[in-house]
Amino acid sequence: MAAHIGRRLYKGAATTAVAALAVAALSASQAPGAAPTPSGGSLEATDNAPSSDTPVTGNSPYYTDLPPLNTPDNAGAAVGTPVTGAGEAGIPATVLAAYKQAERTIAESDPDCRLPWQLLAAIGKVESGQARGGRVDANGTTLTPILGPVLNGVGFANISDTDNGAFDGDTVHDRAVGPMQFIPSTWQTWGQDANGDGRKDPNNIYDAALAAGRYLCHGGRDLTVQEDLDKAILGYNHSREYLRTVLSWFEYYKRGTHEVPDGAGVLPVGNGPDSAGTVPGGSPTPGPSPSPTPTPGNPGGSPTPGPSPSPTPGGGSGEATPPSVPPRVSGIENDGTGRLTATAGEEFTARAKVKVKNTAGEAVARQAVRFTVIGDTDSRFPDGKSSIVLPTGADGTVTAPALRAGEKTGTFTVRATVDGRTLAPVDLVATVTQRVADRLERTDETTFTAAPGAVFAERLTVAAACKGAAAPNADVTVTVLTADGEPAGATSPSFQGDDGAVRTLTLRTGAGGLLKLPELRAGEATGTFLLRLTTPGGASLDVKVTVAAPESPEAPESPESPEQAGPSPSPSATG
């Protein structure tokens, strides 16, 4: 094995100096290409490993190939683009999508962990060769089980059966299961349902990747801290050789990678799990076209990964039907979404609905779809989320939860994408219309009176409601009318507009649905007038205002005149 890796590294070197660097790399890593101890390296002291943790894998064997010396390029390229970097830098599409989805999920639930998807990719490479080069169905479940050896204490950990054979088919001892190689006892604690199908399946790359991420992050770890990173990896498999191998792939993937079709990944050579518990042979770089039928008796041949071979009719030849690459996800389309319209503050009655298909035009079940609110809006999904990921159903469709409109009116976009894939999205236009008040009432019983040509001392305040709740940002129209409800004349009360006096004005309620009218000026005409307030929702309210001249003060009484006083009294007689 060590000699094989040495040849591969030397082949990638362009000069003698690079070849020397390859030898140095092997020396520094203590030649991880060499066959490990049967326990997966447990004879190396498990210093710095979390003593209270059960290792994920039970220290099962793992692939020990190192990444090539050349830096990968074509980083982030989509499926179908030419692969210009090293084959080892290619990660199968569904497997890559699962790693990235796990990173996003944990970034929301445990942001302090700072889990990078490249760490999951490194562990997936070492544990199962990225699910045997991406041999998974459209839902992310391995086409055949990936099982480690029986953990019976003979060269490996001794772990008695904990799942009654439910996951590993062994009712006596446990075996590591799936693309991330969880032993059943650990899966019972850390298993996840990442694709929303109601099952926690260690054979599903979405479930397994999220479970691995949560395991790596537990205990308050920050994976940007080297000590925490080392402990997390050692907790996965208690081996210093394992730590060095995973870290080497981690650094390699951080420098770049590219997406390849499912089933077209490079399978490492040497130690590692296999469906029969044996060491896989060969290191093919399969493509989308079927390879020639493998030669009988050559179990270590190099057929293109794909669905499990079907026996030749009659079963006598011992040959198998050439496997084929399963159809991959090819697109997402609108599936009858209704008109996305809602009044501000209310729930949208229609919901976004899309369908995912593969290259054969078939519906793809359990495919993660992300719905995202895009644009200048405060409309949100439940719990205030602007983005949500949901799996498709058996018919390939998925419906987003109902959006709730915010206070901002206008249009925005609801975008649906196949999560982790570079496919054209479905963009749906959503519209929030202004809230409509269906009730108006006064906030007090103030009497409004003013003299001709004066300004009313008080300003009318009203409250608007919609379906029993306060209606902010609702339009209210106020009109000055005569007491009989007829249009008022030019000398009636008015508001001040940009071009002079106006007697019809449309205003908008503020917080709490309250509206305070602007200053009202009395005209020269006296009498009673009406302020009629109406809304598009049918609400109406009349408020009386009066223009009257002030009463004149009473004149003081004047002294009586002599004529009014009557005859003067006769002078007293004298004499």
Side-chain angles (χ1 to χ4, degrees):
M1 180 66 179
H4 171 82
I5 293 180
R7 287 195 300 271
R8 175 166 59 82
L9 291 173
Y10 184 83
K11 184 178 179 181
T15 65
T16 303
V18 178
L21 178 60
V23 176
L26 286 172
S27 301
S29 63
Q30 298 184 15
T37 56
S39 63
S42 62
L43 294 181
E44 301 181 44
T46 58
D47 51 318
N48 292 332
S51 59
S52 61
D53 293 339
T54 300
V56 172
T57 65
N59 288 349
S60 295
Y62 50 86
Y63 292 111
T64 54
D65 283 23
L66 289 175
L69 292 179
N70 58 305
T71 299
D73 53 17
N74 202 29
V79 172
T81 57
V83 176
T84 59
E88 291 84 348
I91 300 178
T94 298
V95 178
L96 181 60
Y99 295 150
K100 292 184 176 182
Q101 178 177 309
E103 177 191 61
R104 287 190 296 268
T105 299
I106 292 177
E108 293 180 1
S109 63
D110 187 7
D112 292 337
C113 175
R114 300 176 177 87
L115 170 75
W117 67 262
Q118 292 91 341
L119 178 58
L120 296 175
I123 291 175
K125 178 73 172 181
V126 173
E127 290 294 345
S128 68
Q130 311 297 20
R132 290 206 207 95
R135 291 192 46 159
V136 296
D137 62 19
N139 304 317
T141 301
T142 58
L143 300 179
T144 55
I146 301 175
L147 298 175
V150 177
L151 299 177
N152 57 7
V154 181
F156 306 103
N158 187 357
I159 302 177
S160 298
D161 175 63
T162 60
D163 66 332
N164 197 30
F167 292 120
D168 57 13
D170 192 324
T171 58
V172 180
H173 293 91
D174 274 346
R175 301 174 69 177
V177 181
M180 302 304 279
Q181 286 292 278
F182 274 86
I183 55 176
S185 56
T186 307
W187 183 258
Q188 288 173 4
T189 301
W190 295 98
Q192 302 289 313
D193 177 17
N195 62 355
D197 65 353
R199 299 178 58 217
K200 298 178 180 179
D201 184 2
N203 296 297
N204 183 276
I205 187 60
Y206 287 100
D207 293 358
L210 182 58
R214 294 207 186 283
Y215 182 90
L216 294 167
C217 287
H218 86 283
R221 290 181 181 133
D222 178 354
L223 297 182
T224 62
V225 176
Q226 190 63 47
E227 182 180 2
D228 283 359
L229 177 62
D230 290 352
K231 286 182 178 180
I233 299 172
L234 287 168
Y236 212 93
N237 190 315
H238 291 187
S239 163
R240 285 289 171 182
E241 180 188 61
Y242 180 84
L243 173 65
R244 287 190 293 272
T245 307
V246 169
L247 287 176
S248 67
W249 281 105
F250 179 39
E251 291 301 320
Y252 182 74
Y253 285 139
K254 285 198 297 184
R255 293 196 298 270
T257 185
H258 54 265
E259 182 180 303
V260 298
D262 290 342
V266 173
L267 186 65
V269 176
N271 303 286
D274 185 71
S275 59
T278 61
V279 177
S283 180
T285 307
S289 301
S291 299
T293 303
T295 303
N298 180 23
S302 304
T304 301
S308 302
S310 303
T312 302
S317 68
E319 296 186 358
T321 301
S324 60
V325 177
R328 61 181 176 83
V329 175
S330 63
I332 182 172
E333 61 187 33
N334 186 0
D335 192 55
T337 301
R339 188 182 178 201
L340 295 176
T341 302
T343 301
E346 297 185 4
E347 193 173 87
F348 282 74
T349 54
R351 297 192 289 168
K353 183 181 180 183
V354 295
K355 185 172 186 177
V356 177
K357 293 183 178 180
N358 61 22
T359 51
E362 302 165 332
V364 179
R366 292 187 291 178
Q367 173 64 57
V369 171
R370 179 175 293 273
F371 293 95
T372 305
V373 176
I374 299 175
D376 183 18
T377 181
D378 51 358
S379 297
R380 291 292 183 266
F381 291 115
D383 299 325
K385 293 182 178 180
S386 60
S387 181
I388 191 167
V389 178
L390 297 169
T392 56
D395 62 353
T397 68
V398 60
T399 302
L403 280 163
R404 178 165 289 278
E407 294 302 321
K408 291 183 179 180
T409 59
T411 61
F412 63 95
T413 299
V414 178
R415 175 167 293 170
T417 57
V418 178
D419 205 34
R421 306 291 180 107
T422 53
L423 300 173
V426 172
D427 283 347
L428 304 167
V429 177
T431 304
V432 178
T433 58
Q434 191 177 314
R435 187 182 277 101
V436 177
D438 55 22
R439 183 177 177 183
L440 292 170
E441 59 183 24
R442 295 183 57 175
T443 59
D444 56 48
E445 295 300 325
T446 301
T447 299
F448 298 94
T449 303
V455 174
F456 284 84
E458 302 293 337
R459 292 166 59 186
L460 175 64
T461 300
V462 296
C466 178
K467 299 179 182 179
N473 298 317
D475 282 349
V476 177
T477 298
V478 56
T479 304
V480 180
L481 303 173
T482 66
D484 297 328
E486 299 296 328
T491 58
S492 64
S494 64
F495 300 101
Q496 182 63 39
D498 293 338
D499 298 324
V502 294
R503 291 174 178 82
T504 298
L505 197 62
T506 298
L507 306 167
R508 185 163 292 181
T509 59
L514 296 178
L515 173 63
K516 190 172 187 177
L517 269 60
E519 187 176 75
L520 181 65
R521 301 172 180 271
E524 297 302 324
T526 59
T528 299
F529 299 88
L530 295 179
L531 296 182
R532 177 163 293 171
L533 291 84
T534 58
T535 72
S540 182
L541 175 67
D542 286 348
V543 178
K544 290 182 179 181
V545 296
T546 302
V547 179
E551 295 182 2
S552 300
E554 294 183 2
E557 293 184 2
S558 59
E560 293 180 346
S561 63
E563 292 79 353
Q564 296 170 328
S568 299
S570 300
S572 300
T574 58

